[in-house]
Amino acid sequence: MSKTLGTISRGIKAPIIKEGDNLVETIVKCVLEAASENNFTLHDRDVVAVKESIVARAQGNYANVQDIADDVKSKFPADSEIGVIFPILSRNRFAIALRGIALGAKKIILMLSYPSDEVGNHLITAEQLIDSGVNPYADILSEADFRKHFGYEKHIFTGVDYIKYYKEIITEAGAEAEIIFANNPTAILNYTKNVICADIHTRKLTKEKLVKAGANKVFGLDNILSDSVNNSGFNPEYGVLGFNKATEDRIKLFPRNCDIFVREVAAAFLKKTGKKIEVMIYGDGAFKDPVGFIWELADPVVSPAFTSGLTGTTNEIKLKYFADNEFSELSGDALESAIFERIKNKKDDLKGDMAAEGTTPRYLTDLLGSLADLTSGSGDKGTPIVLVQGYFDNYSN
C-alpha cells in the first residue's frame, strides 16, 4: 500500500478472444504477466474488471438477423403492422435489430423520440425545438411534419441522418415503413396495437403504459431472443438489449451466466495468488459527453455481475468540508491527525449526514464500471481487462 498514490487503473492487454477460449485462465494469466513485467503486486480487494464483449465472445453468444425475424414472427400475428418505439440512434446498437424486426413484419411504424433519444443522441438541438413552436410533450409529428420544421439534420459525431437510414433499413428488408415522432408511448396506439418497446432504461414503465392504454401485443427488446431461436445465442434477462454488431448479419448478445463467471475468476485468483480479488463484468460506462450530450450507457446495466465485495454504494466524507469548517483552526500534523480520526470513526451509513454532503453516493459497480470503460475505451487499445488498485483506500490508510 502506497503512502503517495491513490486509486490506480491499469488496462491489461489480452489476446483476441474467440468462442470456446478458456477466458478464466486467460484473464488470470494476463493480469499476473502484467504484474510481473511491470513490477507491481496484487492485494486483497483489488478489482479485476472484464469487458462484457469478451465474455460473450468466449461463450459464443451470437445470433443472426433471421433469428430475430423468426422470434418476431412467433410473437405477433402473421403479416403484422408493428410499432417500434423509442429506439436509440445507433448503427452498432440498434440498426441490425431493426432489420431483423422488419424482416418479421409487413409494416413498421417507427416512433422516434425528439429532440433526442433515451441516451442523448440528438435528432435536433433544444434550441431548434424551442424556435419551432412544437410542443414535444403533446405533438405527434409525421416525417413530413418533422422535415418541414427541422429539415435534414445529421448526427454530430456519426454524420448519419438516422431518419433516412432507419427508413431504408426497413424498406430494404421488404417491409413498409412509416416514421413518426412523439414522446408519449401511447401515441403509437393511433397506428397499431402491436408494439415493440426499443427503449432501454425506461422499458418497464413504457410497457406498463401501453398495456394500460389497451395495446394488444407488447414486447421489449429484452423479450426478443430471451430464449434460443434456431439454436441461436440468447439472454434470458436482457434479450437483444446490450447487443453489439458483429457482422452485417450477426450480433453478439450481452453475456449470460455472468454470476458463475465472476466467481470462477475470483476463485482462480485466490488459488494462484492467495489474494481475495473482486471481479466484475462491465459494459458501457454511465457518464455524459458535454459536447454531444450523449449519456454513454446503451447497455441495460453497467455491470451484469460482480463479486459480493462490490455490492452497495460509496460511503465517504467530504474532506474539504471538515478542513473548512470543523477543523478550520487546525493545520499541519494536527489537521492531518484530526482528519485521519474523522475518517476512521465515520458512520457505516452517512446518508443524510452533512459530513457526506457533495460526495454523491453511487453504486460501486457503476463507478468502477465507468472507470474501466474509460480506461479500456471502445476501439483499438486491446485492453478488455482492467485492474483497479487502491479503490477502497482512503486518506487515513
Side-chain angles (χ1 to χ4, degrees), residues 5 74 158 396:
L5 291 175
S74 75
T158 65
S396 71

Side-chain angles (χ1 to χ4, degrees), residues 3-302:
K3 293 182 178 181
T4 56
L5 291 175
T7 300
I8 299 170
S9 179
R10 291 184 172 93
I12 307 296
K13 292 183 178 179
I16 303 300
I17 303 301
K18 293 290 189 179
E19 181 177 348
D21 286 350
N22 187 331
L23 189 56
V24 173
E25 182 180 287
T26 299
I27 290 166
V28 175
K29 180 181 178 182
C30 288
V31 172
L32 293 182
E33 285 182 351
S36 175
E37 182 179 318
N38 295 279
N39 197 31
F40 63 84
T41 57
L42 299 182
H43 307 281
D44 288 334
R45 299 212 77 189
D46 284 351
V47 179
V48 170
V50 183
K51 190 72 173 175
E52 57 82 19
S53 60
I54 65 170
V55 181
R57 196 178 301 132
Q59 291 175 344
N61 202 20
Y62 291 88
N64 296 319
V65 169
Q66 191 59 51
D67 300 325
I68 297 173
D70 289 345
D71 201 11
V72 169
K73 289 177 183 177
S74 75
K75 287 177 165 58
F76 292 96
D79 295 325
S80 285
E81 295 186 357
I82 300 174
V84 179
I85 70 171
F86 300 156
I88 63 171
L89 307 177
S90 174
R91 295 166 296 177
N92 179 44
R93 295 297 199 134
F94 180 68
I96 294 182
L98 177 60
R99 183 148 61 93
I101 293 168
L103 284 170
K106 177 183 178 182
K107 178 179 179 180
I108 297 294
I109 302 97
L110 184 67
M111 190 170 90
L112 302 176
S113 57
Y114 68 98
S116 71
D117 70 9
E118 178 186 8
V119 297
N121 292 292
H122 278 67
L123 286 168
I124 53 173
T125 66
E127 290 78 12
Q128 285 176 296
L129 180 59
I130 292 169
D131 292 343
S132 72
V134 172
N135 181 352
Y137 301 103
D139 291 346
I140 303 170
L141 305 179
S142 67
E143 183 181 357
D145 292 333
F146 190 89
R147 295 299 195 188
K148 178 181 176 181
H149 283 292
F150 306 113
Y152 292 76
E153 295 287 330
K154 293 185 177 180
H155 190 278
I156 184 174
F157 290 137
T158 65
V160 173
D161 179 340
Y162 278 97
I163 300 168
K164 178 176 181 286
Y165 177 54
Y166 282 173
K167 189 172 185 177
E168 288 175 348
I169 287 173
I170 296 168
T171 56
E172 287 171 4
E176 184 183 345
E178 182 175 359
I179 313 292
I180 62 172
F181 304 81
N183 292 314
N184 184 338
T186 60
I188 194 65
L189 300 181
N190 296 321
Y191 301 82
T192 179
K193 303 292 186 183
N194 298 317
V195 187
I196 293 175
C197 304
D199 47 342
I200 305 166
H201 308 292
T202 55
R203 63 189 184 275
K204 182 179 179 182
L205 180 59
T206 300
K207 291 178 190 177
E208 289 175 355
K209 286 182 177 180
L210 287 166
V211 170
K212 288 180 181 178
N216 181 21
K217 296 275 189 178
V218 179
F219 296 97
L221 292 182
D222 54 326
N223 304 123
I224 297 174
L225 296 187
S226 55
D227 292 297
S228 181
V229 175
N230 307 325
N231 205 31
S232 71
F234 65 99
N235 190 299
E237 185 173 3
Y238 299 120
V240 297
L241 283 179
F243 83 82
N244 277 278
K245 176 180 178 180
T247 70
E248 293 302 322
D249 296 299
R250 198 177 189 219
I251 62 172
K252 177 190 59 58
L253 298 168
F254 218 46
R256 58 181 190 264
N257 300 324
C258 295
D259 286 329
I260 296 171
F261 175 79
V262 295
R263 290 196 298 268
E264 288 178 346
V265 176
F269 272 112
L270 183 62
K271 183 177 180 180
K272 280 278 188 178
T273 68
K275 303 299 180 183
K276 294 182 178 179
I277 306 297
E278 302 292 348
V279 181
M280 64 179 289
I281 297 171
Y282 71 98
D284 278 348
F287 46 84
K288 187 173 181 178
D289 178 85
V291 176
F293 309 112
I294 300 168
W295 181 41
E296 178 72 8
L297 188 55
D299 287 323
V301 289
V302 173

Side-chain angles (χ1 to χ4, degrees), residues 308-352:
S308 60
L310 299 180
T311 302
T313 61
T314 53
N315 189 56
E316 302 171 343
I317 66 169
K318 196 76 168 180
L319 293 187
K320 66 181 182 182
Y321 173 82
F322 287 96
D324 291 341
N325 290 273
E326 187 175 331
F327 305 136
S328 61
E329 301 300 318
L330 301 178
S331 62
D333 291 343
L335 174 60
E336 188 172 90
S337 179
I339 292 289
F340 281 5
E341 288 303 311
R342 191 65 179 79
I343 294 173
K344 289 178 179 178
N345 295 310
K346 66 183 176 183
K347 295 186 294 186
D348 291 336
D349 185 359
L350 290 167
K351 185 177 182 179

